[in-house]
């Protein structure tokens, strides 16, 4: 497939990512594709044992252990323990589909959604018949909270840390938004899929939400951190009074995830807590430095997300259209992500930036970023 | 949780199945929970190698290999090779959700659906806003095909082999239904999740559908056959002219399944083709005989699905309400499935039968069926 620029404009980000799947210089998707650490490799060596362990233990226990290990690793020390309080899904996007359809089933309405963010979130919400109102990041993070919760919306949906910008809701700001949502009876929904990368989001979100008295939903994702060949789960946590048929729609789609994957998640989370997560943070920071060092003297190029710690990095291309750069990179077998589609309400605002995935081997990342440098310098 | 009979009536089958998940005598869900064969155990021993193999090969190749190995194993020798012709999903139910939402997105309307069948199919269709018309199995399998494709429907949906009855669409009948769907411009959708168990469905469905000229969709499932701890994929195959946004909605929900699972499916399918599938058929047949032998002299009890080969068996309880029997079984820690909910358009027709899962170790199945016998004889 060789899409023209107009076709590419109509593609969603996942479709663009899929073009890169078999490329050696795939810096497109946000999946974890770095090498395993030695400790992680030894967990993979134990896969046959983990498989038999999973077969021998009650799945309820395995599920609880996986939730606890994964959430504790990120400072999320409280979580709902009632039946259905944390629903385990095949992935965070399946959790998102369940949330979107639950909102639609329970009466539909409007959702205020952070802008920009990864486009499958607006697509899944709109695909289920919901209307969207963009909430700019600056409005979300600063100024009166009332502006971030427009009158009449059913739900405020926030990705934190955000993808692609890496912006993190502080504990105080989350408390403010939650109080506003409680006052307006708006469901506050968070997608925290990237929080594993950023210790500034390792506070107890659920405690803040609970204390606010708002109705809330949080989507978690084990799939961004570790290069487990996409063996992963998504979690869909909610307040008891959420008033959405989450558990019912979950039961329409699955009886449960693989017990083997639950055991694997527990083991990877334990390793992360024992030092693996700090190693991962250093690894991503080093890859970010590599990108910035390689591109720092390209005229007109800037890095808009100064404090970002997530496993993706945006580069602002100055006056160069990202689709032109994307097309030239692709001729050399290099894939990054044009940012237009992240700006789901106003794509033109992303037309001059690219997103580079950082959860990659440094060698491949280096080669890809050198290609980008050459394209930008027209070498 | 100890649901009362009225609550149980409102539960869906998956919710009832979930009550059994941590029980040793769980004969409720249709997942594969028998012991691994020696050959399968040796594949599990190779999991670390398969993981590294999956990491080293282009995922497009792994996906093609998995499709080919799995489909060929069941006599499905042709399949769409165009991009997006066979979409790989986390599970058959995720494939079903994608199909249901695609039908809704492309204009909604009515779906003619086999009756009875597993209730998550009607629930996913209705949950996406589609109207349902029941098509009785006898109408589907015999008499004029026009009666099976009511005027004005958008889609005819057939589970074959059916769950729980095990009834299989013959090649001739499929051709007749497909011709009728072609004439009426109705999408013919099949869920063939249980076909691995029944050689009578090991003919080339896609060739029949293609030759008819109808628009078609087929959902396949690797998850029913092998006790792989729910490591599985669902497939969503379709004709090129299907006219539904299947690939788009698929891309909203996933970039791809785990390459590791793709490799595992290929290996299990190769083993099945080399004799493992015939062994599995003998194993299920022996478990079915065990059920029938243990219960054959219980007064009023019958086995309505004489020729069934799928991994579930219905028992008709005569004049005993299945919820009473279910409740008494449960007191002894034994779980089967009441059949009311399979009869999604007329639950009362299932009120006097139970479904017993056969993909279990013979020891556990024997203990569970002896408990059922004792309950029925009021011992």
């Amino acid at each position: 497939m060789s899409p023209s620029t107009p076709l590419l404009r109509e593609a969603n980000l996942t479709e663009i990512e899929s073009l890169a799947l078999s490329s050696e210089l795939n810096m497109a998707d946000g999946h974890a594709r770095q090498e395993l650490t030695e400790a992680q490799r030894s967990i993979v060596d134990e896969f046959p044992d983990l498989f038999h362990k999973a077969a021998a233990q009650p799945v309820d226990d395995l599920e609880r252990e996986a939730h606890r290990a994964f959430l504790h690793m990120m400072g999320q020390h409280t979580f709902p323990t009632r039946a259905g309080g944390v629903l385990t899904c095949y992935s965070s996007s399946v959790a998102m589909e369940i949330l979107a359809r639950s909102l639609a089933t329970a009466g539909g309405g409007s959702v205020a959604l952070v802008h920009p963010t990864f486009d499958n979130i607006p697509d899944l919400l709109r695909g289920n018949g919901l209307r969207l109102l963009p909430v700019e990041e600056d409005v979300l993070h600063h100024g009166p909270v009332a502006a971030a919760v427009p009158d009449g919306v059913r739900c405020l949906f926030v990705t934190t840390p955000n993808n692609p910008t890496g912006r993190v809701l502080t504990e105080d700001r989350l408390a403010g938004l939650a109080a506003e949502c409680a006052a307006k009876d708006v469901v506050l929904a968070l997608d925290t899929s990237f929080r594993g990368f950023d210790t500034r989001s390792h506070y107890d979100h659920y405690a803040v939400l609970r204390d606010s008295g708002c109705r809330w939903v949080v989507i978690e994702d084990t799939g961004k951190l570790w290069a487990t060949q996409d063996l992963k789960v998504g979690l869909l946590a909610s307040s008891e009074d959420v008033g959405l048929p989450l558990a019912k729609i979950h039961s329409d789609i699955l009886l449960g995830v693989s017990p083997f994957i639950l055991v694997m998640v527990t083991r990877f989370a334990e390793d992360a807590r024992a030092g693996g997560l700090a190693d991962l943070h250093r690894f991503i920071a080093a890859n970010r430095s590599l990108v910035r060092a390689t591109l720092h003297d390209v005229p007109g190029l800037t890095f808009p997300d100064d404090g970002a710690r997530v496993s993706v990095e945006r580069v602002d291309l100055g006056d160069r259209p990202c689709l032109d750069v994307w097309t030239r990179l692709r001729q050399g077998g290099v894939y990054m992500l044009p940012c237009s589609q992240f700006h789901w309400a106003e794509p033109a605002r992303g037309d001059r930036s690219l997103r580079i995935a950082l959860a990659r081997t440094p060698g491949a990342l280096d080669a890809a970023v050198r290609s980008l440098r050459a394209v930008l310098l027209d070498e």
Side-chain angles (χ1 to χ4, degrees), chain A:
Chain A
M1 202 178 354
S2 180
S4 63
T5 300
L7 272 180
L8 202 66
R9 263 203 156 306
E10 279 170 41
N12 64 37
L13 291 168
T14 306
E15 290 172 314
I16 299 173
E17 288 173 354
S18 74
L19 298 172
L21 277 180
S22 292
S23 162
E24 304 214 339
L25 297 179
N26 164 16
M27 307 296 134
D29 64 68
H31 295 227
R33 302 185 185 279
Q34 69 274 30
E35 280 180 11
L36 295 175
T37 65
E38 209 162 313
Q40 290 172 338
R41 215 182 310 263
S42 75
I43 299 173
V44 172
D45 289 341
E46 289 173 46
F47 269 13
D49 291 341
L50 300 186
F51 185 92
H52 299 303
K53 186 191 164 192
Q57 261 188 269
V59 69
D60 286 355
D61 295 351
L62 300 176
E63 205 167 3
R64 242 188 321 269
E65 279 172 24
H67 294 170
R68 188 187 304 119
F70 183 69
L71 294 170
H72 281 200
M73 176 196 86
M74 304 184 299
Q76 184 56 60
H77 291 292
T78 68
F79 52 91
T81 52
R82 73 180 195 281
V86 181
L87 297 164
T88 314
C89 308
Y90 296 124
S91 69
S92 60
S93 296
V94 170
M96 184 66 213
E97 168 72 4
I98 292 170
L99 169 60
R101 198 141 71 71
S102 294
L103 285 164
T105 302
S110 305
V111 175
L113 172 64
V114 59
H115 188 251
T117 201
F118 197 82
D119 69 349
N120 87 324
I121 297 175
D123 286 347
L124 288 172
L125 289 166
R126 284 193 282 225
N128 280 285
L130 297 153
R131 288 186 304 280
L132 300 183
L133 276 81
V135 179
E136 296 298 330
E137 279 194 312
D138 285 339
V139 173
L140 198 64
H141 290 271
H142 301 294
V145 286
V149 190
D151 286 336
V153 300
R154 177 73 185 287
C155 171
L156 169 64
F157 192 103
V158 180
T159 314
T160 172
N162 200 8
N163 175 9
T165 67
R167 279 180 86 164
V168 176
L169 269 188
T170 65
E171 187 164 357
D172 278 356
R173 188 67 178 179
L174 177 61
L177 291 170
E180 184 72 9
C181 285
K184 291 181 172 166
D185 193 27
V186 167
V187 175
L188 180 50
L190 306 180
D191 179 336
T192 62
S193 292
F194 279 89
R195 75 194 277 210
F197 292 106
D198 196 328
T199 52
R200 293 170 300 183
S201 65
H202 291 191
Y203 62 86
D204 194 329
H205 291 56
Y206 302 179
V208 172
L209 293 164
R210 192 191 54 225
D211 292 348
S212 76
C214 77
R215 299 189 289 141
W216 59 267
V217 177
V218 179
I219 293 173
E220 311 270 3
D221 186 4
T222 75
K224 300 290 189 289
L225 291 172
W226 309 307
T228 53
Q229 289 289 316
D230 276 328
L231 296 170
K232 62 183 175 183
V233 298
L235 304 181
L236 183 59
S238 61
S239 58
E240 194 158 4
D241 62 351
V242 69
L244 298 173
L246 300 169
K248 196 62 148 184
I249 292 176
H250 179 269
S251 76
D252 285 344
I253 296 181
L254 70 161
L255 174 60
V257 302
S258 167
F260 169 75
I261 295 178
L262 292 172
V263 174
M264 187 211 72
V265 164
T266 302
R267 296 283 281 109
F268 270 79
E270 286 166 353
D271 173 65
R273 210 174 175 196
L277 196 60
D279 289 344
L280 178 63
H281 293 168
R282 281 187 288 272
F283 176 83
I284 295 294
N287 274 355
R288 191 181 308 281
S289 297
L290 183 160
V291 171
R292 294 188 180 179
T294 305
L295 300 175
H296 82 280
D297 59 349
V298 175
L301 183 141
T302 53
F303 303 99
D305 306 316
D306 202 27
R309 299 188 195 169
V310 294
S311 61
V312 296
E313 171 80 346
R314 273 197 309 173
V315 292
D316 190 311
L317 304 168
D319 56 7
R320 306 170 185 91
C322 63
L323 289 187
D324 293 356
V325 176
W326 186 91
T327 304
R328 286 199 52 198
L329 281 172
R330 192 186 186 208
Q331 286 158 0
V334 176
Y335 290 84
M336 296 172 181
L337 221 46
C339 285
S340 315
Q341 283 86 336
F342 286 100
H343 295 263
W344 53 269
E346 208 177 335
R349 279 168 55 194
D351 279 353
R352 294 180 190 242
S353 41
L354 282 175
R355 192 195 76 170
I356 306 174
L358 301 178
R360 297 295 192 271
T361 60
L365 180 65
D366 187 47
V369 177
R370 281 177 192 279
S371 293
L372 174 59
R373 179 184 165 84
V375 165
L376 295 174
L377 296 177
D378 208 15
E379 282 168 357

